[in-house]
Amino acid sequence: MKKLYFKNGDGIPSLGLGTWKSKKGEVYDAVKTAIELGYRHIDCAPIYGNEKEIGEALKVCFDNKIVKREEVWITSKLWNDQHQQRAVVPALKKTLSDLQLDYLDLFLIHWPVVLNKDLYRADSPEGFISLEDLPISVTWKGMEETLSQGLTKHIGVSNFSIKKLEDLLSIASVKPAMNQIEMHPYLSQPKMVSFCKENEIHLTAYSPLGSFDRSETMKGKNEPVLMDDQTILEIARGHNCSAAQILIAWAIQRGTVVIPKSVNPERLKQNLDAAEILLSVLEMDKIEGLNRHYRFIDGTFWTVEGGPYTIANLWDED
Ligand code: A2P
């Protein structure tokens, strides 16, 4: 499995298992099967509501000597209601306890959005705190503490725009090592890819298959179906593989980490095998040409009338 390396020599496997939307009762088998198949990277978050079950699967894998802890890369994230500096270390300790781990490999700020304590969503302005009132620089100090306390090996962010990365880079003692964002051929984010390359920040692509198992309330009207794209399907036919595999191979080949979610053993295997598919330069260019800057996860759920967050200030785009 290809890895991307950090300054200290640690390597993150380019393919990881996504666990967002993996339900309780399903995620245990998914994680255990994935590790048995050869996955060495699991992407988690407390907001997915399944870290305890993932922890049980990891424990069984370690106890049965399927893998050692140091052979698996585990990422988790800080939820939006824990952005106070003093809340960050306890939030990570809770995640570690649920995952039954002593340390994470990577800990990310999940969103550049702040909620009041104990909220996982908010539907009125009172539930939100603006980034002026609780800046990322404050949260980042807490993130740096998790690192100095040995609770995680690397720290980073998720859903950050180039502007927010620039702001963070200008104040951080420890630079963010990763930005995890939505990326796929309809949202290939070329400017972000070059910015992160220049600044030695790795990128992880979430929703690489278009996340069509999201709840209907999270879906836009007339959403395109990535896996039905004719160009992708044509390239897939040429390689005698599935559209999903082409999407995964493309993400890896362009130098990003990719975390497709599956709870199905055949698809878990298929997705792992995709890491070995080699696309030609022409195929890579054709896929890059599909970009239409389309977000499946556009963040509208953070925008309420009179609240501090808007689509414009979330993504810092026109
Ligand atoms: P399942 O979990 O039943 O396999 P994303 O990673 O973009 O969030 O997409 C996840 C969705 O894609 C889930 O509905 C998942 O279903 C499905 N999926 C995962 N792998 C494949 C695959 N190889 N072929 C088709 N669908 C897949």
PDB file of all heavy atoms in Angstrom, residues 73-90:
ATOM      1  N   TRP A  73      -3.003   2.947  11.116  1.00  0.00           N
ATOM      2  CA  TRP A  73      -3.104   4.406  11.242  1.00  0.00           C
ATOM      3  C   TRP A  73      -4.532   4.748  11.671  1.00  0.00           C
ATOM      4  O   TRP A  73      -5.496   4.374  10.994  1.00  0.00           O
ATOM      5  CB  TRP A  73      -2.799   5.058   9.892  1.00  0.00           C
ATOM      6  CG  TRP A  73      -2.797   6.549   9.975  1.00  0.00           C
ATOM      7  CD1 TRP A  73      -3.887   7.379   9.968  1.00  0.00           C
ATOM      8  CD2 TRP A  73      -1.656   7.385  10.112  1.00  0.00           C
ATOM      9  NE1 TRP A  73      -3.489   8.681  10.089  1.00  0.00           N
ATOM     10  CE2 TRP A  73      -2.120   8.709  10.176  1.00  0.00           C
ATOM     11  CE3 TRP A  73      -0.279   7.138  10.194  1.00  0.00           C
ATOM     12  CZ2 TRP A  73      -1.255   9.799  10.308  1.00  0.00           C
ATOM     13  CZ3 TRP A  73       0.576   8.225  10.327  1.00  0.00           C
ATOM     14  CH2 TRP A  73       0.085   9.529  10.383  1.00  0.00           C
ATOM     15  N   ILE A  74      -4.671   5.455  12.794  1.00  0.00           N
ATOM     16  CA  ILE A  74      -6.012   5.812  13.249  1.00  0.00           C
ATOM     17  C   ILE A  74      -6.139   7.340  13.349  1.00  0.00           C
ATOM     18  O   ILE A  74      -5.357   7.995  14.044  1.00  0.00           O
ATOM     19  CB  ILE A  74      -6.359   5.214  14.631  1.00  0.00           C
ATOM     20  CG1 ILE A  74      -5.948   3.736  14.724  1.00  0.00           C
ATOM     21  CG2 ILE A  74      -7.845   5.424  14.957  1.00  0.00           C
ATOM     22  CD1 ILE A  74      -6.933   2.722  14.324  1.00  0.00           C
ATOM     23  N   THR A  75      -7.128   7.854  12.656  1.00  0.00           N
ATOM     24  CA  THR A  75      -7.430   9.292  12.689  1.00  0.00           C
ATOM     25  C   THR A  75      -8.753   9.490  13.420  1.00  0.00           C
ATOM     26  O   THR A  75      -9.675   8.690  13.268  1.00  0.00           O
ATOM     27  CB  THR A  75      -7.579   9.818  11.241  1.00  0.00           C
ATOM     28  OG1 THR A  75      -6.340   9.648  10.549  1.00  0.00           O
ATOM     29  CG2 THR A  75      -7.980  11.292  11.210  1.00  0.00           C
ATOM     30  N   SER A  76      -8.848  10.556  14.209  1.00  0.00           N
ATOM     31  CA  SER A  76     -10.160  10.977  14.705  1.00  0.00           C
ATOM     32  C   SER A  76     -10.197  12.512  14.725  1.00  0.00           C
ATOM     33  O   SER A  76      -9.240  13.162  14.305  1.00  0.00           O
ATOM     34  CB  SER A  76     -10.483  10.376  16.078  1.00  0.00           C
ATOM     35  OG  SER A  76     -11.827  10.688  16.406  1.00  0.00           O
ATOM     36  N   LYS A  77     -11.314  13.044  15.211  1.00  0.00           N
ATOM     37  CA  LYS A  77     -11.542  14.481  15.041  1.00  0.00           C
ATOM     38  C   LYS A  77     -12.168  15.110  16.278  1.00  0.00           C
ATOM     39  O   LYS A  77     -12.804  14.420  17.078  1.00  0.00           O
ATOM     40  CB  LYS A  77     -12.455  14.707  13.818  1.00  0.00           C
ATOM     41  CG  LYS A  77     -11.999  13.896  12.609  1.00  0.00           C
ATOM     42  CD  LYS A  77     -12.761  14.153  11.352  1.00  0.00           C
ATOM     43  CE  LYS A  77     -12.331  13.158  10.285  1.00  0.00           C
ATOM     44  NZ  LYS A  77     -13.124  11.939  10.241  1.00  0.00           N
ATOM     45  N   LEU A  78     -12.007  16.421  16.358  1.00  0.00           N
ATOM     46  CA  LEU A  78     -12.556  17.217  17.471  1.00  0.00           C
ATOM     47  C   LEU A  78     -13.907  17.765  17.039  1.00  0.00           C
ATOM     48  O   LEU A  78     -13.992  18.458  16.008  1.00  0.00           O
ATOM     49  CB  LEU A  78     -11.602  18.380  17.749  1.00  0.00           C
ATOM     50  CG  LEU A  78     -12.029  19.345  18.852  1.00  0.00           C
ATOM     51  CD1 LEU A  78     -11.709  18.759  20.227  1.00  0.00           C
ATOM     52  CD2 LEU A  78     -11.334  20.701  18.694  1.00  0.00           C
ATOM     53  N   TRP A  79     -14.955  17.491  17.816  1.00  0.00           N
ATOM     54  CA  TRP A  79     -16.266  18.024  17.406  1.00  0.00           C
ATOM     55  C   TRP A  79     -16.383  19.521  17.731  1.00  0.00           C
ATOM     56  O   TRP A  79     -15.643  20.066  18.568  1.00  0.00           O
ATOM     57  CB  TRP A  79     -17.426  17.187  17.981  1.00  0.00           C
ATOM     58  CG  TRP A  79     -18.724  17.605  17.331  1.00  0.00           C
ATOM     59  CD1 TRP A  79     -19.844  18.069  17.954  1.00  0.00           C
ATOM     60  CD2 TRP A  79     -18.996  17.658  15.915  1.00  0.00           C
ATOM     61  NE1 TRP A  79     -20.800  18.398  17.009  1.00  0.00           N
ATOM     62  CE2 TRP A  79     -20.302  18.167  15.763  1.00  0.00           C
ATOM     63  CE3 TRP A  79     -18.249  17.356  14.769  1.00  0.00           C
ATOM     64  CZ2 TRP A  79     -20.885  18.367  14.496  1.00  0.00           C
ATOM     65  CZ3 TRP A  79     -18.832  17.558  13.519  1.00  0.00           C
ATOM     66  CH2 TRP A  79     -20.135  18.051  13.398  1.00  0.00           C
ATOM     67  N   ASN A  80     -17.332  20.146  17.045  1.00  0.00           N
ATOM     68  CA  ASN A  80     -17.481  21.605  17.055  1.00  0.00           C
ATOM     69  C   ASN A  80     -17.824  22.213  18.424  1.00  0.00           C
ATOM     70  O   ASN A  80     -17.684  23.414  18.603  1.00  0.00           O
ATOM     71  CB  ASN A  80     -18.597  22.009  16.087  1.00  0.00           C
ATOM     72  CG  ASN A  80     -18.387  21.491  14.685  1.00  0.00           C
ATOM     73  OD1 ASN A  80     -17.380  20.860  14.413  1.00  0.00           O
ATOM     74  ND2 ASN A  80     -19.323  21.742  13.792  1.00  0.00           N
ATOM     75  N   ASP A  81     -18.307  21.392  19.349  1.00  0.00           N
ATOM     76  CA  ASP A  81     -18.669  21.955  20.666  1.00  0.00           C
ATOM     77  C   ASP A  81     -17.504  21.858  21.660  1.00  0.00           C
ATOM     78  O   ASP A  81     -17.676  22.133  22.848  1.00  0.00           O
ATOM     79  CB  ASP A  81     -19.913  21.244  21.249  1.00  0.00           C
ATOM     80  CG  ASP A  81     -19.637  19.804  21.611  1.00  0.00           C
ATOM     81  OD1 ASP A  81     -18.750  19.198  20.978  1.00  0.00           O
ATOM     82  OD2 ASP A  81     -20.294  19.275  22.528  1.00  0.00           O
ATOM     83  N   GLN A  82     -16.314  21.474  21.152  1.00  0.00           N
ATOM     84  CA  GLN A  82     -15.157  21.296  22.052  1.00  0.00           C
ATOM     85  C   GLN A  82     -13.998  22.205  21.627  1.00  0.00           C
ATOM     86  O   GLN A  82     -12.835  21.836  21.792  1.00  0.00           O
ATOM     87  CB  GLN A  82     -14.691  19.826  22.020  1.00  0.00           C
ATOM     88  CG  GLN A  82     -15.785  18.804  22.274  1.00  0.00           C
ATOM     89  CD  GLN A  82     -16.243  18.765  23.719  1.00  0.00           C
ATOM     90  OE1 GLN A  82     -15.483  19.103  24.621  1.00  0.00           O
ATOM     91  NE2 GLN A  82     -17.484  18.388  23.949  1.00  0.00           N
ATOM     92  N   HIS A  83     -14.318  23.366  21.057  1.00  0.00           N
ATOM     93  CA  HIS A  83     -13.256  24.236  20.528  1.00  0.00           C
ATOM     94  C   HIS A  83     -12.551  25.087  21.582  1.00  0.00           C
ATOM     95  O   HIS A  83     -11.539  25.716  21.287  1.00  0.00           O
ATOM     96  CB  HIS A  83     -13.820  25.157  19.430  1.00  0.00           C
ATOM     97  CG  HIS A  83     -13.857  24.525  18.069  1.00  0.00           C
ATOM     98  ND1 HIS A  83     -13.465  25.188  16.925  1.00  0.00           N
ATOM     99  CD2 HIS A  83     -14.229  23.293  17.662  1.00  0.00           C
ATOM    100  CE1 HIS A  83     -13.608  24.387  15.876  1.00  0.00           C
ATOM    101  NE2 HIS A  83     -14.077  23.241  16.300  1.00  0.00           N
ATOM    102  N   GLN A  84     -13.096  25.154  22.802  1.00  0.00           N
ATOM    103  CA  GLN A  84     -12.390  25.903  23.856  1.00  0.00           C
ATOM    104  C   GLN A  84     -11.048  25.223  24.095  1.00  0.00           C
ATOM    105  O   GLN A  84     -10.984  23.994  24.140  1.00  0.00           O
ATOM    106  CB  GLN A  84     -13.182  25.859  25.179  1.00  0.00           C
ATOM    107  CG  GLN A  84     -14.575  26.445  25.115  1.00  0.00           C
ATOM    108  CD  GLN A  84     -14.582  27.972  25.137  1.00  0.00           C
ATOM    109  OE1 GLN A  84     -13.522  28.605  25.270  1.00  0.00           O
ATOM    110  NE2 GLN A  84     -15.761  28.541  24.994  1.00  0.00           N
ATOM    111  N   GLN A  85      -9.991  26.019  24.304  1.00  0.00           N
ATOM    112  CA  GLN A  85      -8.659  25.410  24.449  1.00  0.00           C
ATOM    113  C   GLN A  85      -8.642  24.294  25.498  1.00  0.00           C
ATOM    114  O   GLN A  85      -8.112  23.215  25.279  1.00  0.00           O
ATOM    115  CB  GLN A  85      -7.638  26.497  24.823  1.00  0.00           C
ATOM    116  CG  GLN A  85      -6.213  25.954  24.872  1.00  0.00           C
ATOM    117  CD  GLN A  85      -5.192  27.003  25.281  1.00  0.00           C
ATOM    118  OE1 GLN A  85      -5.455  28.201  25.201  1.00  0.00           O
ATOM    119  NE2 GLN A  85      -4.040  26.561  25.717  1.00  0.00           N
ATOM    120  N   ARG A  86      -9.300  24.562  26.646  1.00  0.00           N
ATOM    121  CA  ARG A  86      -9.242  23.577  27.726  1.00  0.00           C
ATOM    122  C   ARG A  86     -10.091  22.333  27.453  1.00  0.00           C
ATOM    123  O   ARG A  86      -9.989  21.331  28.156  1.00  0.00           O
ATOM    124  CB  ARG A  86      -9.663  24.226  29.058  1.00  0.00           C
ATOM    125  CG  ARG A  86     -11.093  24.665  29.077  1.00  0.00           C
ATOM    126  CD  ARG A  86     -11.538  25.234  30.412  1.00  0.00           C
ATOM    127  NE  ARG A  86     -12.931  25.644  30.315  1.00  0.00           N
ATOM    128  CZ  ARG A  86     -13.361  26.772  29.780  1.00  0.00           C
ATOM    129  NH1 ARG A  86     -12.491  27.654  29.331  1.00  0.00           N
ATOM    130  NH2 ARG A  86     -14.659  27.045  29.705  1.00  0.00           N
ATOM    131  N   ALA A  87     -10.937  22.396  26.424  1.00  0.00           N
ATOM    132  CA  ALA A  87     -11.822  21.255  26.135  1.00  0.00           C
ATOM    133  C   ALA A  87     -11.162  20.229  25.216  1.00  0.00           C
ATOM    134  O   ALA A  87     -11.621  19.088  25.116  1.00  0.00           O
ATOM    135  CB  ALA A  87     -13.113  21.758  25.483  1.00  0.00           C
ATOM    136  N   VAL A  88     -10.076  20.659  24.542  1.00  0.00           N
ATOM    137  CA  VAL A  88      -9.540  19.810  23.461  1.00  0.00           C
ATOM    138  C   VAL A  88      -8.920  18.514  24.003  1.00  0.00           C
ATOM    139  O   VAL A  88      -9.246  17.420  23.532  1.00  0.00           O
ATOM    140  CB  VAL A  88      -8.515  20.594  22.595  1.00  0.00           C
ATOM    141  CG1 VAL A  88      -7.982  19.722  21.480  1.00  0.00           C
ATOM    142  CG2 VAL A  88      -9.169  21.854  22.018  1.00  0.00           C
ATOM    143  N   VAL A  89      -8.051  18.633  25.010  1.00  0.00           N
ATOM    144  CA  VAL A  89      -7.409  17.423  25.558  1.00  0.00           C
ATOM    145  C   VAL A  89      -8.457  16.455  26.110  1.00  0.00           C
ATOM    146  O   VAL A  89      -8.448  15.261  25.769  1.00  0.00           O
ATOM    147  CB  VAL A  89      -6.320  17.799  26.604  1.00  0.00           C
ATOM    148  CG1 VAL A  89      -5.935  16.598  27.458  1.00  0.00           C
ATOM    149  CG2 VAL A  89      -5.093  18.364  25.893  1.00  0.00           C
ATOM    150  N   PRO A  90      -9.418  16.928  26.931  1.00  0.00           N
ATOM    151  CA  PRO A  90     -10.442  15.981  27.412  1.00  0.00           C
ATOM    152  C   PRO A  90     -11.256  15.347  26.279  1.00  0.00           C
ATOM    153  O   PRO A  90     -11.615  14.173  26.362  1.00  0.00           O
ATOM    154  CB  PRO A  90     -11.345  16.851  28.303  1.00  0.00           C
ATOM    155  CG  PRO A  90     -10.493  18.000  28.716  1.00  0.00           C
ATOM    156  CD  PRO A  90      -9.535  18.242  27.591  1.00  0.00           C
TER     157      PRO A  90
END
